[in-house]
Amino acid sequence: MRNYNALGLIFANMHDEAIRDCTAVRSMGSLPFGGRYRLIDFVLSGMVNAGITKVGVITKSNYQSLMDHLGSGKAWDLSRKNEGLYFLPPRSSDDAMYQGRIGSLADVIPFLNHSKEELVILSDCHVVSSMDYQAMLKAHVESGADVTVACQHGVVPTLSDIPVMTLDAEKRVADLLIGRISEEEAYYGVGAYVMRKDWLLRTVTEAVARNQLHFERDVLQRRLGELRIYGYEVPSLMMPIYSVESYFKANLALLENEVREQLFPKSRPVYTKLKDCDPVQYGLHAQVTNSLVGDGAHVDGTVKNCIVFRGANISRHATLENCVIMQNVTVGDNCKLGNVIADKNVVFRNGCRLQGSDSYPVYIAKNSIV
Amino acid sequence: MFRKQECVAMLLAGGQGSRLYALTRRIAKPAVPFGGKYRIIDFPLSNCVNSGIETVGVLTQYQPLELNDYIGSGQPWDLDRMDAGVHVLPPYQRNKGADWYKGTANAIYQNIDFIERYDPEYVLVLSGDHIYKMDYSDMLAQHKANEADCTIAVLDVPKEEASRFGILNTNPDGSIYEFDEKPAVPKSTLASMGIYIFTWDKLRKYLIADEEDTTSQNDFGKNLLPAMLNAGERMFAYRFEGYWKDVGTIDSLWEANMDLLNPKVPLDLADTGWKIYSRNPGMPPHYLADTAQVQNSSITEGCTIGGKVEGSVIFAGVTVEEGAEIVHSILMPGTVVRKGAKVQYAILAEDVEVGAGAVVGESPEEIDNLDRWGVAVVASGIKVGQEGFVPAKAMVEKDVADKEVIPYA
């Protein structure tokens, strides 16, 4: 049973530029994570687990891998006769129509007009979490806010348009800056907003008429005094991805029991596209410790503190430590890799040696042969 | 109304599988978990899809609930089709009374109407208790080329094992002249695999005749096939080469799982050209802890391994705590093995809990009298208490108390 009548809108390309290396061939939403997932899986599963049955995915570029991943939405139980998953690419190639979050929203006004839901959740994909959207919807309705901004308290990630906020005792936003200004801890937005659909439609139409296309700057900041904007502090773990380093660290954080328990609670499963891989085969020479391994991988080497994705192949006498090895990567004999992120289909020929540092991992682009 | 299908597959999935004892207490044999993330029925179903057969009737009878749930709409096998696809066919009541499926042939007979609506030329009859990968379209091509009425898939087995099987004696052209059920002195080494293709017109005729014969046991092997042979119908053997295993007993089920860990055994589940599909539980990747030691094993999603795992097949969502040891065993979904427990040469069914320090199963080297050795089995949902002991060959269907020692069977 659903408690709130809400629809989801996911921005698949938001913050692509924060991690250019990995998003050269894909959107932020389709960035692989955690041995078998893509970042969008966490947002999409969160919405589905909150009883939301209508989700639009807004995307503007590099969306082939995203479309391939989402398909009909079946894996998220969103292939439905009524509602389900809607893929919302640009309606025209005219870039002017598609600037900023407001531009993207203006492009999907017909989709919003056709929707019967009262509330809208907007969400970016760059935060890995198992967020309870029901709780956020509840907080929004109870506070009577115009806009509720999901946030966390901590060191602000270095994202260009991140809202940094001061909250009053009632969690109403008293001050709002855009972008990190110091290393001090503060409330920062995690890219999820809740508002009434009719309010959103009116606001987007007005903002476009004034050529104000930046939602955070032109709506939240400019109209802070007149609007009731509330912060919703997400009580569970959130891991924002805003650089290669933060991507690397968030992956390796999965090796902590507590992080896995928070991210994969039994009551809120994370769904993803199924590949029907065979189980992981460990060979006679395998020595694998403190690692997370996805199905279809074949491991016969020494692996320590690594995230190994589906279908990776790690041969005998290879040694890996602190690595993120994506789908279908092959690591040959006598390779020695440390602090390496290997994107999809990378091949390490026999005898490769690569060593990155903890804070600056070596990134090997998709399809490379080393 | 239904689109015509050249070939319809009928999968016999109603058997109890009584020789799997505790493992089929609450589920039908085809639903028994196999190979880390599959169930036995995934093999014939995936073979059908990969062979281009779009219509599959699954005949269920014994403990159908879990099997029905598992098959569902058929989506995991891509068998949720407009009017073809997979159909679960339990026995049902008619205006002239109701019958359970009396035998394999009777099960098909009761579903003649289902087959007829697709107006097929051929019907493929399969059973749900074998592990193999086979291209049925190649078998069908041979059936057509021979202008056969019935084609039976056969496997060339070692001569010393031939007396365990139903043996087909054939002429040089592959036509069958004699059935020899478990012969003491086999004349040939071609064992029937329980896979039949019939030309539908012929099968229909023999099904009806078999039903009218009140002395018949309504079984393909015992009645219908001999009747066809006696009447001089064109019956041929189709030679299959590759891995095939009947997993109808505890030992053969255990062996077939162990075969997956042997690179020399020609059953490649990683082959993307002939995938075996299954319903996926959608769990996170498995985690091997700092203390894990895993060798020569197969492990799938949702597991947390802190102990030693060697030569074993570990299903989804299994926990092996630090200091526990799993050797040459099969741990089905959701099973937990606590600290310091030892599980060897054993099959633990779903959601079993083995308490700290308990021992389940024995290795053949530890036993003086090898007649007493065998794979130990613990039924689903059973708890083995702390420091409890389950000997080799045991079949545990009741909880084992702390420090309780189960006697030899």
Side-chain angles (χ1 to χ4, degrees):
Chain A
M1 205 186 72
R2 66 166 102 180
N3 298 318
Y4 299 100
N5 192 7
L7 74 90
L9 270 182
I10 297 176
F11 294 81
N13 291 91
M14 205 57 85
H15 308 303
D16 275 3
E17 72 294 338
I19 181 164
R20 262 287 152 241
D21 286 341
C22 308
T23 55
V25 289
R26 56 169 77 92
S27 63
M28 194 71 168
S30 51
L31 185 62
F33 186 84
R36 70 179 303 213
Y37 303 100
R38 307 273 187 157
L39 289 186
I40 197 170
D41 293 340
F42 294 89
V43 182
L44 205 47
S45 302
M47 290 183 174
V48 170
N49 288 331
I52 291 166
T53 54
K54 181 168 190 176
V55 181
V57 177
I58 295 177
T59 177
K60 59 176 181 180
S61 58
N62 250 336
Y63 49 79
Q64 277 187 10
S65 68
L66 188 70
M67 285 186 79
D68 175 52
H69 181 69
L70 296 177
S72 68
K74 182 78 196 171
W76 298 265
D77 215 4
L78 285 174
S79 170
R80 293 171 178 239
K81 192 164 235 175
N82 295 310
E83 314 308 0
L85 183 74
Y86 293 79
F87 206 74
L88 304 168
R91 279 197 291 155
S92 80
S93 54
D94 182 359
D95 277 343
M97 270 302 287
Y98 222 94
Q99 279 170 8
R101 200 186 291 277
I102 296 287
S104 300
L105 287 165
D107 212 35
V108 299
I109 283 175
F111 171 78
L112 289 170
N113 273 330
H114 284 133
S115 300
K116 295 191 264 311
E117 286 74 6
E118 277 173 50
L119 298 168
V120 183
I121 301 176
L122 307 183
S123 182
D124 300 341
C125 294
H126 68 290
V127 181
V128 179
S129 79
S130 169
M131 184 170 157
D132 180 355
Y133 287 98
Q134 275 285 341
M136 184 175 175
L137 289 165
K138 184 166 182 271
H140 175 81
V141 172
E142 284 174 359
S143 69
D146 293 311
V147 184
T148 299
V149 185
C151 59
Q152 285 253 290
H153 193 264
V155 176
V156 180
T158 51
L159 280 168
S160 57
D161 48 4
I162 191 166
V164 181
M165 298 166 290
T166 312
L167 305 183
D168 70 12
E170 287 171 0
K171 301 282 180 196
R172 184 166 174 177
V173 179
D175 190 19
L176 189 147
L177 305 171
I178 306 289
R180 165 176 154 147
I181 50 165
S182 75
E183 286 182 9
E184 272 174 46
E185 294 199 348
Y187 286 103
Y188 62 87
V190 289
Y193 304 95
V194 172
M195 66 272 296
R196 287 187 60 84
K197 191 192 74 182
D198 52 6
W199 180 89
L200 180 67
L201 279 167
R202 202 170 58 238
T203 303
V204 167
T205 312
E206 271 181 35
V208 169
R210 293 176 200 277
N211 196 26
Q212 296 171 347
L213 301 178
H214 195 290
F215 180 72
E216 285 80 1
R217 196 179 298 281
D218 296 329
V219 177
L220 298 185
Q221 191 174 44
R222 193 187 289 256
R223 297 173 63 190
L224 185 64
E226 64 175 288
L227 294 174
R228 289 170 61 81
I229 304 176
Y230 276 72
Y232 167 71
E233 190 176 0
V234 183
S236 57
L237 175 78
M238 304 230 109
M239 297 194 289
I241 309 288
Y242 51 92
S243 62
V244 171
E245 186 196 347
S246 62
Y247 171 74
F248 184 62
K249 290 214 160 128
N251 267 291
L252 294 187
L254 292 176
L255 301 176
E256 291 162 36
N257 288 333
E258 202 180 308
V259 171
R260 284 199 311 282
E261 277 162 22
Q262 286 224 36
L263 214 49
F264 305 112
K266 287 224 161 70
S267 56
R268 293 201 297 275
V270 183
Y271 306 99
T272 189
K273 182 184 176 186
L274 300 179
K275 298 223 186 283
D276 293 282
C277 299
D278 58 329
V280 178
Q281 304 295 324
Y282 290 100
L284 287 165
H285 309 90
Q287 286 186 47
V288 183
T289 50
N290 195 35
S291 293
L292 201 68
V293 187
D295 268 9
H298 289 225
V299 182
D300 204 13
T302 304
V303 177
K304 194 175 164 188
N305 309 339
C306 291
I307 306 293
V308 179
F309 282 68
R310 293 188 281 196
N313 203 327
I314 295 164
S315 31
R316 196 175 156 179
H317 307 308
T319 305
L320 279 69
E321 194 170 347
N322 301 329
C323 292
V324 176
I325 301 296
M326 290 194 208
Q327 202 180 312
N328 297 331
V329 168
T330 302
V331 183
D333 273 346
N334 296 316
C335 286
K336 199 168 154 63
L337 309 176
N339 296 317
V340 169
I341 302 174
D343 207 322
K344 274 178 79 174
N345 308 329
V346 166
V347 175
F348 293 96
R349 292 261 164 83
N350 293 348
C352 283
R353 267 152 211 271
L354 273 176
Q355 180 69 47
S357 82
D358 288 350
S359 59
Y360 205 91
V362 178
Y363 170 78
I364 311 290
K366 190 175 169 182
N367 301 330
S368 308
I369 295 174
V370 184
Chain B
M1 175 162 155
F2 286 88
R3 206 154 42 89
K4 180 181 169 72
Q5 301 283 338
E6 186 188 26
C7 182
V8 168
M10 298 297 273
L11 208 164
L12 299 161
Q16 180 183 354
S18 56
R19 287 174 303 150
L20 289 174
Y21 305 98
L23 297 178
T24 50
R25 205 166 48 149
R26 291 205 201 97
I27 54 174
K29 180 157 65 168
V32 168
F34 178 84
K37 67 187 294 187
Y38 311 97
R39 295 188 190 240
I40 296 170
I41 197 171
D42 288 330
F43 287 80
L45 278 183
S46 301
N47 285 338
C48 281
V49 175
N50 291 333
S51 303
I53 292 172
E54 295 182 11
T55 311
V56 184
V58 179
L59 301 136
T60 61
Q61 178 156 293
Y62 172 80
Q63 287 284 10
L65 178 66
E66 197 160 323
L67 188 58
N68 291 352
D69 279 354
Y70 187 69
I71 294 169
S73 68
Q75 193 269 335
W77 305 270
D78 216 1
L79 284 171
D80 54 335
R81 301 291 176 87
M82 300 267 280
D83 55 18
V86 66
H87 299 257
V88 175
L89 304 169
Y92 56 97
Q93 203 170 21
R94 298 142 225 269
N95 60 1
K96 287 181 191 156
D99 264 325
W100 292 103
Y101 293 147
K102 290 179 284 179
T104 49
N106 175 258
I108 307 289
Y109 171 82
Q110 290 201 36
N111 288 288
I112 285 178
D113 289 348
F114 167 79
I115 297 171
E116 294 266 273
R117 61 186 195 178
Y118 298 103
D119 187 22
E121 316 298 333
Y122 309 102
V123 169
L124 168 67
V125 177
L126 302 167
S127 59
D129 40 14
H130 301 141
I131 301 298
Y132 63 108
K133 286 178 159 192
M134 178 171 170
D135 187 350
Y136 304 131
S137 67
D138 189 56
M139 180 173 171
L140 182 60
Q142 189 200 296
H143 179 86
K144 288 189 215 168
N146 284 333
E147 294 179 356
D149 300 310
C150 171
T151 300
I152 301 175
V154 294
L155 188 73
D156 202 351
V157 295
K159 190 143 197 172
E160 58 275 18
E161 286 180 27
S163 54
R164 294 200 291 122
F165 294 95
I167 296 297
L168 304 187
N169 298 324
T170 57
N171 298 311
D173 68 348
S175 62
I176 300 164
Y177 68 86
E178 190 183 20
F179 295 117
D180 224 352
E181 187 62 26
K182 299 186 180 159
V185 187
K187 280 185 240 166
S188 107
T189 52
L190 299 181
S192 167
M193 298 164 65
I195 300 163
Y196 317 117
I197 289 178
F198 295 95
T199 299
W200 173 236
D201 288 345
K202 278 282 159 64
L203 176 61
R204 191 175 190 281
K205 188 178 120 192
Y206 281 91
L207 285 173
I208 292 166
D210 180 67
E211 191 62 19
E212 283 167 357
D213 177 2
T214 48
T215 63
S216 173
Q217 290 175 269
N218 308 116
D219 183 87
F220 272 101
K222 289 180 193 143
N223 311 108
L224 193 134
L225 295 173
M228 283 183 82
L229 192 66
N230 290 339
E233 303 293 356
R234 290 177 64 78
M235 301 179 82
F236 285 81
Y238 168 79
R239 278 171 179 258
F240 171 74
E241 276 167 25
Y243 183 89
W244 176 85
K245 192 136 190 157
D246 184 326
V247 288
T249 64
I250 295 290
D251 287 347
S252 63
L253 180 69
W254 180 79
E255 280 167 24
N257 274 283
M258 294 301 130
D259 281 347
L260 294 176
L261 305 176
N262 182 352
K264 291 183 188 135
V265 168
L267 180 69
D268 181 12
L269 296 178
D271 174 15
T272 51
W274 200 275
K275 274 189 184 177
I276 302 301
Y277 302 97
S278 63
R279 193 173 283 279
N280 191 294
M283 292 184 183
H286 66 254
Y287 174 69
L288 304 192
D290 269 332
T291 50
Q293 285 181 53
V294 177
Q295 260 121 31
N296 193 32
S297 292
S298 160
I299 303 183
T300 188
E301 291 155 6
C303 296
T304 305
I305 309 291
K308 182 175 172 183
V309 178
E310 206 181 291
S312 295
V313 175
I314 312 292
F315 284 73
V318 165
T319 304
V320 177
E321 293 187 353
E322 190 179 338
E325 199 176 324
I326 314 294
V327 183
H328 298 309
S329 293
I330 300 161
L331 272 54
M332 291 184 182
T335 283
V336 178
V337 179
R338 300 278 176 218
K339 286 192 172 68
K342 185 163 188 179
V343 177
Q344 47 187 349
Y345 296 89
I347 300 177
L348 308 184
E350 290 160 271
D351 302 313
V352 166
E353 186 179 337
V354 177
V359 174
V360 177
E362 293 171 272
S363 96
E365 294 95 57
E366 287 173 355
I367 284 198
D368 304 333
N369 179 1
L370 276 181
D371 289 342
R372 275 207 333 225
W373 184 81
V375 174
V377 178
V378 180
S380 66
I382 296 297
K383 279 197 173 122
V384 176
Q386 291 184 18
E387 296 176 38
F389 177 73
V390 175
K393 225 176 184 172
M395 184 70 58
V396 178
E397 298 192 58
K398 278 190 211 144
D399 284 355
V400 177
D402 290 353
K403 301 199 176 171
E404 185 181 351
V405 175
I406 302 290
Y408 285 93

PDB file of all heavy atoms in Angstrom, chain B residues 272-285:
ATOM      1  N   THR B 272      28.535 -18.128 -22.518  1.00  0.00           N
ATOM      2  CA  THR B 272      27.467 -17.157 -22.751  1.00  0.00           C
ATOM      3  C   THR B 272      26.634 -17.513 -23.981  1.00  0.00           C
ATOM      4  O   THR B 272      25.564 -16.954 -24.181  1.00  0.00           O
ATOM      5  CB  THR B 272      28.040 -15.739 -22.932  1.00  0.00           C
ATOM      6  OG1 THR B 272      29.066 -15.805 -23.918  1.00  0.00           O
ATOM      7  CG2 THR B 272      28.620 -15.209 -21.638  1.00  0.00           C
ATOM      8  N   GLY B 273      27.122 -18.441 -24.791  1.00  0.00           N
ATOM      9  CA  GLY B 273      26.372 -18.849 -25.978  1.00  0.00           C
ATOM     10  C   GLY B 273      25.240 -19.816 -25.647  1.00  0.00           C
ATOM     11  O   GLY B 273      24.359 -20.065 -26.476  1.00  0.00           O
ATOM     12  N   TRP B 274      25.265 -20.398 -24.468  1.00  0.00           N
ATOM     13  CA  TRP B 274      24.207 -21.340 -24.062  1.00  0.00           C
ATOM     14  C   TRP B 274      24.011 -21.177 -22.561  1.00  0.00           C
ATOM     15  O   TRP B 274      24.399 -22.020 -21.760  1.00  0.00           O
ATOM     16  CB  TRP B 274      24.594 -22.781 -24.419  1.00  0.00           C
ATOM     17  CG  TRP B 274      23.422 -23.711 -24.471  1.00  0.00           C
ATOM     18  CD1 TRP B 274      22.852 -24.377 -23.424  1.00  0.00           C
ATOM     19  CD2 TRP B 274      22.655 -24.075 -25.619  1.00  0.00           C
ATOM     20  NE1 TRP B 274      21.779 -25.128 -23.845  1.00  0.00           N
ATOM     21  CE2 TRP B 274      21.641 -24.967 -25.201  1.00  0.00           C
ATOM     22  CE3 TRP B 274      22.706 -23.735 -26.979  1.00  0.00           C
ATOM     23  CZ2 TRP B 274      20.712 -25.521 -26.079  1.00  0.00           C
ATOM     24  CZ3 TRP B 274      21.773 -24.300 -27.846  1.00  0.00           C
ATOM     25  CH2 TRP B 274      20.796 -25.185 -27.389  1.00  0.00           C
ATOM     26  N   LYS B 275      23.425 -20.047 -22.195  1.00  0.00           N
ATOM     27  CA  LYS B 275      23.277 -19.723 -20.777  1.00  0.00           C
ATOM     28  C   LYS B 275      22.224 -20.597 -20.124  1.00  0.00           C
ATOM     29  O   LYS B 275      21.232 -20.956 -20.754  1.00  0.00           O
ATOM     30  CB  LYS B 275      22.833 -18.262 -20.615  1.00  0.00           C
ATOM     31  CG  LYS B 275      23.974 -17.284 -20.595  1.00  0.00           C
ATOM     32  CD  LYS B 275      23.463 -15.905 -20.217  1.00  0.00           C
ATOM     33  CE  LYS B 275      24.590 -14.893 -20.284  1.00  0.00           C
ATOM     34  NZ  LYS B 275      24.156 -13.539 -20.000  1.00  0.00           N
ATOM     35  N   ILE B 276      22.442 -20.917 -18.871  1.00  0.00           N
ATOM     36  CA  ILE B 276      21.389 -21.534 -18.058  1.00  0.00           C
ATOM     37  C   ILE B 276      20.780 -20.405 -17.226  1.00  0.00           C
ATOM     38  O   ILE B 276      21.458 -19.743 -16.455  1.00  0.00           O
ATOM     39  CB  ILE B 276      21.957 -22.651 -17.165  1.00  0.00           C
ATOM     40  CG1 ILE B 276      22.651 -23.724 -18.020  1.00  0.00           C
ATOM     41  CG2 ILE B 276      20.843 -23.272 -16.324  1.00  0.00           C
ATOM     42  CD1 ILE B 276      21.766 -24.411 -19.051  1.00  0.00           C
ATOM     43  N   TYR B 277      19.506 -20.152 -17.455  1.00  0.00           N
ATOM     44  CA  TYR B 277      18.815 -19.052 -16.787  1.00  0.00           C
ATOM     45  C   TYR B 277      18.209 -19.540 -15.474  1.00  0.00           C
ATOM     46  O   TYR B 277      17.903 -20.720 -15.327  1.00  0.00           O
ATOM     47  CB  TYR B 277      17.716 -18.496 -17.694  1.00  0.00           C
ATOM     48  CG  TYR B 277      18.250 -18.017 -19.010  1.00  0.00           C
ATOM     49  CD1 TYR B 277      18.211 -18.818 -20.143  1.00  0.00           C
ATOM     50  CD2 TYR B 277      18.838 -16.758 -19.115  1.00  0.00           C
ATOM     51  CE1 TYR B 277      18.731 -18.388 -21.344  1.00  0.00           C
ATOM     52  CE2 TYR B 277      19.360 -16.315 -20.314  1.00  0.00           C
ATOM     53  CZ  TYR B 277      19.300 -17.133 -21.432  1.00  0.00           C
ATOM     54  OH  TYR B 277      19.830 -16.696 -22.616  1.00  0.00           O
ATOM     55  N   SER B 278      18.015 -18.626 -14.567  1.00  0.00           N
ATOM     56  CA  SER B 278      17.388 -19.000 -13.297  1.00  0.00           C
ATOM     57  C   SER B 278      16.711 -17.769 -12.713  1.00  0.00           C
ATOM     58  O   SER B 278      16.985 -16.651 -13.136  1.00  0.00           O
ATOM     59  CB  SER B 278      18.432 -19.535 -12.321  1.00  0.00           C
ATOM     60  OG  SER B 278      19.376 -18.534 -12.009  1.00  0.00           O
ATOM     61  N   ARG B 279      15.827 -18.000 -11.763  1.00  0.00           N
ATOM     62  CA  ARG B 279      15.205 -16.868 -11.071  1.00  0.00           C
ATOM     63  C   ARG B 279      16.216 -16.364 -10.052  1.00  0.00           C
ATOM     64  O   ARG B 279      16.721 -17.113  -9.248  1.00  0.00           O
ATOM     65  CB  ARG B 279      13.908 -17.311 -10.397  1.00  0.00           C
ATOM     66  CG  ARG B 279      13.055 -16.154  -9.927  1.00  0.00           C
ATOM     67  CD  ARG B 279      11.699 -16.632  -9.428  1.00  0.00           C
ATOM     68  NE  ARG B 279      10.778 -16.973 -10.506  1.00  0.00           N
ATOM     69  CZ  ARG B 279      10.054 -16.075 -11.200  1.00  0.00           C
ATOM     70  NH1 ARG B 279      10.169 -14.804 -10.920  1.00  0.00           N
ATOM     71  NH2 ARG B 279       9.249 -16.476 -12.161  1.00  0.00           N
ATOM     72  N   ASN B 280      16.532 -15.066 -10.150  1.00  0.00           N
ATOM     73  CA  ASN B 280      17.634 -14.513  -9.374  1.00  0.00           C
ATOM     74  C   ASN B 280      17.132 -13.862  -8.087  1.00  0.00           C
ATOM     75  O   ASN B 280      16.175 -13.107  -8.120  1.00  0.00           O
ATOM     76  CB  ASN B 280      18.335 -13.478 -10.259  1.00  0.00           C
ATOM     77  CG  ASN B 280      19.637 -13.025  -9.678  1.00  0.00           C
ATOM     78  OD1 ASN B 280      19.675 -12.387  -8.645  1.00  0.00           O
ATOM     79  ND2 ASN B 280      20.717 -13.373 -10.340  1.00  0.00           N
ATOM     80  N   PRO B 281      17.773 -14.160  -6.957  1.00  0.00           N
ATOM     81  CA  PRO B 281      17.304 -13.579  -5.698  1.00  0.00           C
ATOM     82  C   PRO B 281      17.668 -12.099  -5.549  1.00  0.00           C
ATOM     83  O   PRO B 281      17.164 -11.432  -4.662  1.00  0.00           O
ATOM     84  CB  PRO B 281      18.014 -14.418  -4.632  1.00  0.00           C
ATOM     85  CG  PRO B 281      19.259 -14.902  -5.292  1.00  0.00           C
ATOM     86  CD  PRO B 281      18.931 -15.039  -6.753  1.00  0.00           C
ATOM     87  N   GLY B 282      18.545 -11.575  -6.415  1.00  0.00           N
ATOM     88  CA  GLY B 282      18.885 -10.157  -6.369  1.00  0.00           C
ATOM     89  C   GLY B 282      19.574  -9.718  -5.093  1.00  0.00           C
ATOM     90  O   GLY B 282      19.162  -8.770  -4.440  1.00  0.00           O
ATOM     91  N   MET B 283      20.607 -10.422  -4.733  1.00  0.00           N
ATOM     92  CA  MET B 283      21.358 -10.070  -3.527  1.00  0.00           C
ATOM     93  C   MET B 283      22.665  -9.389  -3.923  1.00  0.00           C
ATOM     94  O   MET B 283      23.128  -9.532  -5.046  1.00  0.00           O
ATOM     95  CB  MET B 283      21.666 -11.335  -2.732  1.00  0.00           C
ATOM     96  CG  MET B 283      20.440 -11.981  -2.136  1.00  0.00           C
ATOM     97  SD  MET B 283      20.950 -13.370  -1.137  1.00  0.00           S
ATOM     98  CE  MET B 283      19.365 -13.995  -0.629  1.00  0.00           C
ATOM     99  N   PRO B 284      23.292  -8.674  -2.952  1.00  0.00           N
ATOM    100  CA  PRO B 284      24.586  -8.060  -3.268  1.00  0.00           C
ATOM    101  C   PRO B 284      25.661  -9.120  -3.529  1.00  0.00           C
ATOM    102  O   PRO B 284      25.466 -10.278  -3.179  1.00  0.00           O
ATOM    103  CB  PRO B 284      24.919  -7.247  -2.006  1.00  0.00           C
ATOM    104  CG  PRO B 284      23.935  -7.611  -0.986  1.00  0.00           C
ATOM    105  CD  PRO B 284      22.809  -8.328  -1.618  1.00  0.00           C
ATOM    106  N   PRO B 285      26.777  -8.707  -4.135  1.00  0.00           N
ATOM    107  CA  PRO B 285      27.865  -9.668  -4.362  1.00  0.00           C
ATOM    108  C   PRO B 285      28.303 -10.283  -3.032  1.00  0.00           C
ATOM    109  O   PRO B 285      28.083  -9.691  -1.981  1.00  0.00           O
ATOM    110  CB  PRO B 285      28.990  -8.805  -4.940  1.00  0.00           C
ATOM    111  CG  PRO B 285      28.322  -7.603  -5.492  1.00  0.00           C
ATOM    112  CD  PRO B 285      27.125  -7.367  -4.636  1.00  0.00           C
TER     113      PRO B 285
END
